[in-house]
């Protein structure tokens, strides 16, 4: 089974990474018959290349230096505009996860948590409102739709958020695989936190165990029978982030949620944008025993695997212990840990200290599994 | 051809209206194996039933009477929350139109215009920011994606709007038919216009010719060869609405854009929410000759057909001529017309005065063509 599973997983990743297609960082040259491949939606280097060449080319009417606008060119978890003395943060995500119901959650919970967490990553933890746009396939079971909506309702209650506007579309049988949900959200904050504010000396904190969501979905897809079933960590963590920010309002210098592409992808983006090096202590990374088990079984590093209820934070060194303590006092932050430090050396690079030596962590091409979120 | 086309169109509408499924207004009873059908996304009575029973059941945590919140329960074009002395309007739409490129526009233009227009319908004509979430099928041509993004960029310029945040997902071959785009948007307004504020005596204005979008897409889908090709009216009309509101800031008592289900569907919703009767003068309805031609050919009333660059406005009687004049002075409002009046009699009903007599306009079950927007 070990080999079969590994092959199945690698087949998936192979498919995911097929057809190189000449989309490079910063390059705008591509062949006339270039086609979109799965990796262009996988959250890593390939997707960043597509966004930088195609989307920013179209929408970069907002220079990042424009006062009062934190726009698309910043490529952050969301955009923001100034309203009076506060920032109004705006974010969106479409959710295409397969299967729609998975251990620990479903597409509805994922959609609410995903948008609430993106807002929280920018320091905006009190949600003003959400939108919910559902696209379903003709023939979709109404009771499944209601179950998903009920899950969204419950997740909204957890996040103290309200859906203010919605939209419903139905596509024909075979025109869409089941259900897709888009959520957008708005929230106000007096202090905007970006993903680029890291400074040498800052400590890096992950707010809990890593790889839970991706490994749980992978195990489900491959019908893996485990002694202890894996569960996704999908949860709205705006309450956790609110507590951490309250502990020291200026301690957090950058924040990002490690979804597609996992913690490794997020660290690369943060190091590159903040122009710092990052050194991670592998032994400090919180990983569930079950996740470590399956990780060794299939040979996939939990650092590369998606999370849906976690944050990676850069925190001023002098405040790191206090923030950590606050995180650990919250039910969703019990396994939080200081896992690394920002350095002046090797800006843009991520180094893993294994305890036996140090190695560079390559920037992932993208999430290994398609439709992970 | 006449009969063939008519059959093709009616087959579509038949398919669209298939499987009754027990979803009734206000009723929450449905069979265990009830399934979603195309008409549940078609913008008419069936969709309203689904939203009222399933979506509001989940999300009606926001009573419409709550001060400072115009939420989902209002079932308006968008939601709104109070910020200081203004309203922040929030709206969303997913766009699934087929084909993605059609005469007069494409899915990108539709996505930007759709969201900008929904904001404008609530009186919020200055867009603070948009989000753009694209879901593409693996294998989609990159040049088609770039063409769509370029069209979005141009439409943003027309609407003086900026995309502040985005998301990209790729689904596998056969898992989604081509491309789906979700846009959400925010805008501030000091006066919130809803779709329920009609009063007896108010005049009804349509801002231009009706049925253009739906008829153009239908003609394209059925490969209809026409002497004068039909074109969709898809356009952002926030500038037009801004001018009308400036002409008399309190004259407009209700507004709605007649997309899925056409003008008939919107009139029904407005009459029902405003608790007024509506009498429409059929001869006053602006209809393009080409649209009238195809309408007679296939036996579909332009009143039932989708528009993507029009508004239906209720306007105080004493201000109606002034607003009309302002609309007609704008390039997108040249064919604007006063087409009806609100009455105290027959609240909730829509009556068509044909010139030969009067008849009730039935509330459409939904848009005749699936994936019209």
């Amino acid at each position: 089974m070990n080999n079969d599973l590994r092959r199945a997983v690698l087949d998936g990743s192979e498919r995911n990474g097929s057809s190189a297609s000449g989309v490079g960082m910063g390059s705008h040259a591509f062949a006339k018959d270039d086609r979109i491949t799965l990796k262009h939606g996988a959250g890593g280097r390939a997707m960043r290349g597509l966004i930088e060449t195609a989307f920013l080319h179209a929408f970069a009417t907002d220079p990042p230096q424009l006062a009062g606008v934190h726009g698309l060119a910043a490529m952050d978890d969301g955009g923001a505009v100034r309203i009076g003395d506060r920032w109004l943060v705006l974010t969106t995500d479409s959710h295409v996860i397969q299967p729609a119901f998975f251990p620990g959650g479903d597409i509805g919970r994922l959609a609410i948590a995903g948008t609430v967490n993106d807002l929280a990553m920018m320091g905006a933890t009190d949600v003003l409102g959400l939108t919910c746009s559902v696209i379903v396939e003709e023939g979709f079971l109404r009771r499944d739709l209601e179950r998903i909506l009920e899950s969204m309702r419950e997740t909204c209650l957890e996040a103290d958020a309200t859906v203010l506007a919605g939209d419903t579309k139905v596509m024909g049988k075979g025109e869409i695989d089941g259900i897709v949900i888009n959520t957008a959200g708005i929230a106000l904050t007096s202090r905007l936190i970006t993903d680029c504010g890291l400074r040498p000396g800052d400590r890096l904190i992950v707010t809990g165990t890593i790889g839970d969501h991706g490994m749980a979905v992978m195990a489900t897809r491959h019908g893996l029978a485990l002694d202890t079933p894996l569960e996704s960590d999908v949860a709205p963590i705006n309450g956790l982030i609110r507590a951490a920010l309250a502990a020291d309002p200026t301690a957090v210098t950058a924040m990002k949620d490690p979804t597609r592409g996992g913690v490794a992808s997020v660290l690369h983006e943060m190091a590159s944008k903040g122009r710092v090096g990052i050194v991670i202590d592998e032994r400090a990374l919180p990983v569930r025993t079950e996740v470590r088990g399956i990780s060794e079984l299939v040979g996939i590093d939990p650092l590369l695997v998606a999370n849906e209820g976690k944050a990676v934070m850069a925190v001023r060194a002098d405040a790191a212990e206090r923030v950590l303590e606050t995180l650990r006092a919250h039910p969703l932050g019990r396994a939080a840990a200081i896992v690394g430090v920002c350095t002046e050396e090797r800006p843009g690079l991520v180094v893993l200290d294994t305890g036996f030596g140090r190695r560079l962590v390559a920037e992932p091409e993208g999430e290994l599994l398609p439709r992970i979120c």
Side-chain angles (χ1 to χ4, degrees), chain A:
Chain A
M1 187 186 73
N2 187 328
N3 279 341
D4 278 359
L5 175 66
R6 183 163 179 158
R7 201 172 312 121
V9 170
L10 290 180
D11 280 357
S13 96
E14 185 69 13
R15 191 182 163 217
N16 197 0
S18 65
S19 168
S21 86
V23 182
M25 292 270 307
S27 144
H28 199 201
F30 58 92
K32 224 180 102 194
D33 58 349
D34 239 4
R35 288 177 187 274
I36 301 300
T37 63
L38 283 171
K39 68 177 174 171
H40 288 122
R45 202 149 52 97
M47 191 174 89
R48 186 142 60 94
L50 177 71
I51 293 173
E52 285 177 347
T53 54
F55 285 82
L56 288 193
H57 181 71
F59 297 131
T61 42
D62 51 315
Q65 67 277 16
L66 193 69
V69 176
H70 182 78
L72 204 69
M75 293 184 68
D76 210 331
D77 293 297
V81 282
R82 205 86 185 148
I83 294 192
D85 57 354
R86 291 181 293 177
W87 287 94
L88 179 68
V89 183
L90 172 66
T91 184
T92 188
D93 265 315
S94 288
H95 303 273
V96 299
I97 192 162
Q98 201 280 318
F101 299 94
F102 51 83
D106 56 55
I107 190 171
R109 181 170 178 79
L110 185 72
I112 299 296
T115 291
V116 166
N117 293 349
D118 276 349
L119 293 171
M121 292 307 106
M122 303 190 71
T125 54
D126 298 322
V127 181
L128 266 181
L130 300 177
T131 66
C132 159
S133 176
V134 174
I135 309 174
V136 270
E137 183 180 11
E138 182 186 12
F140 196 80
L141 275 175
R142 189 174 157 128
R143 66 164 180 268
D144 283 347
L145 176 61
E146 304 229 349
R147 204 174 134 200
I148 289 165
L149 291 172
E150 173 59 20
S151 165
M152 294 182 89
R153 192 186 69 77
E154 284 167 11
T155 315
C156 277
L157 285 176
E158 277 175 61
D160 198 16
T162 304
V163 172
L164 287 180
D167 179 49
T168 314
K169 294 286 188 313
V170 180
M171 290 172 73
K173 191 88 193 159
E175 292 174 354
I176 189 164
D177 182 21
I179 187 166
V180 165
I181 300 181
N182 176 283
T183 40
I186 47 173
L188 286 165
T189 179
S190 47
R191 178 168 174 260
L192 191 67
I193 298 176
T194 66
D195 57 3
C196 65
L198 306 90
R199 290 166 312 186
D202 285 352
R203 299 300 188 263
L204 287 154
I205 292 180
V206 295
T207 62
T209 53
I210 67 171
D212 299 0
H213 175 74
M215 287 297 192
V217 174
M218 193 181 70
T220 304
R221 282 221 205 127
H222 294 295
L224 204 57
L226 302 167
D227 293 343
T228 321
L230 292 178
E231 286 214 337
S232 165
D233 59 342
V234 58
I237 56 167
N238 56 328
L240 174 71
I241 303 301
R242 189 187 299 126
L245 296 177
D248 188 332
T250 61
V252 178
T253 59
M255 198 161 30
K256 211 164 178 68
D257 57 337
T259 57
R260 284 178 282 179
V263 168
S265 198
V266 155
L267 290 175
H268 268 278
E269 205 172 335
M270 290 171 104
S272 153
K273 287 182 176 177
R275 297 199 178 91
V276 295
I278 287 180
V279 180
I280 296 294
D281 177 0
E282 192 174 30
R283 293 157 307 177
L285 287 168
V287 182
R288 266 183 216 289
T289 319
E290 311 90 276
V291 169
R292 195 179 298 284
I294 190 168
S295 150
E296 282 162 8
L297 190 70
V298 299
I300 292 177
D301 191 334
L303 266 179
L304 300 173
V305 177
N307 309 271
E308 291 293 343
K310 301 291 153 54
V312 176
M313 295 175 158
V315 182
R316 273 199 346 260
D318 63 303
E321 284 297 338
R322 191 164 60 255
V323 170
L324 182 67
E325 215 172 276
T326 312
L327 289 168
R328 284 187 169 167
H330 191 283
L332 292 173
R334 285 210 189 102
I338 298 176
V339 299
V341 65
C342 299
T343 63
E344 255 177 283
E345 300 83 53
R346 303 186 176 233
L349 297 184
V350 179
V351 173
L352 192 71
D353 186 335
T354 61
F356 304 103
R358 292 184 162 203
R359 66 169 175 88
L360 278 181
V361 179
E363 182 180 9
E365 184 68 8
E367 176 64 38
L368 297 166
L369 286 182
R371 297 180 64 186
I372 199 70
C373 65

